[in-house]
Amino acid sequence: MRSPAGFMRLLAGAVALALTLWPQLAPACSVVFPSEEEAVRRAEVIFAGVVVRLGPAVKETPEDLFGYREIEFSVERVWKGTMGGTARVRTGHDSCGLRVWPGEKWLILAAGQPLRADLVSGGALLRLSDGRRTEHTTASIEKRLGKGTPPAVP
């Protein structure tokens, strides 16, 4: 039979291991993604922009497990809605949130006040911060909505 002290050491080791692995154990974004047609319909704004700044994780309530981050974009092209030269968009700080880095170019489909976007809303990485392009393009958005316009001048 094991001693209580041995059991406590085993339990403490298991808890420490679980806490170490927590980020890897977080579930992947497991929702039904809408079609592109549905994502475009739902979006209040659609734009391409470069990540300028990434804010810290913020929790709206103490019960909020993951919170959100605010991303500031330099807007380059607008297909839907009216956008100025910069846009601030909130994204979930969870598995469905956008994982962005300054210098990356993204296609953003967002809605709400304040604007919110995530993987489910149809956001797509267009270019990495080092300039390499990804497999995503704006071609399908342009096919649906035209060439777009530059951001509005304030």
Side-chain angles (χ1 to χ4, degrees):
M1 184 167 248
R2 293 184 183 217
S3 71
F7 175 76
M8 292 306 288
R9 280 193 302 273
L10 179 63
L11 181 61
V15 168
L17 180 62
L19 290 174
T20 302
L21 296 176
W22 175 254
Q24 291 82 13
L25 296 175
C29 184
S30 58
V31 296
V32 176
F33 288 86
S35 66
E36 181 180 85
E37 181 178 352
E38 179 68 12
V40 167
R41 188 186 66 71
R42 288 182 189 174
E44 294 172 13
V45 297
I46 300 176
F47 69 92
V50 176
V51 177
V52 175
R53 186 185 65 80
L54 180 59
V58 176
K59 292 187 174 189
E60 294 178 305
T61 67
E63 296 79 27
D64 188 357
L65 289 178
F66 299 105
Y68 68 88
R69 296 188 101 151
E70 188 170 85
I71 306 164
E72 185 176 332
F73 290 92
S74 173
V75 178
E76 295 183 345
R77 199 104 194 122
V78 180
W79 286 273
K80 188 175 182 183
T82 302
M83 302 293 300
T86 61
R88 287 190 172 87
V89 177
R90 290 182 179 180
T91 191
H93 191 59
D94 59 12
S95 60
C96 292
L98 302 176
R99 299 291 176 255
V100 303
W101 294 99
E104 291 177 338
K105 183 174 181 178
W106 281 79
L107 174 66
I108 298 296
L109 291 83
Q113 286 300 325
L115 287 173
R116 291 190 79 108
D118 53 27
L119 295 175
V120 180
S121 68
L125 177 63
L126 300 173
R127 186 181 68 228
L128 300 172
S129 57
D130 64 8
R132 290 180 292 147
R133 296 196 180 279
T134 65
E135 68 275 7
H136 296 289
T137 69
T138 58
S140 61
I141 295 295
E142 288 179 348
K143 188 175 180 180
R144 289 180 186 282
L145 303 175
K147 291 287 185 188
T149 61
V153 177

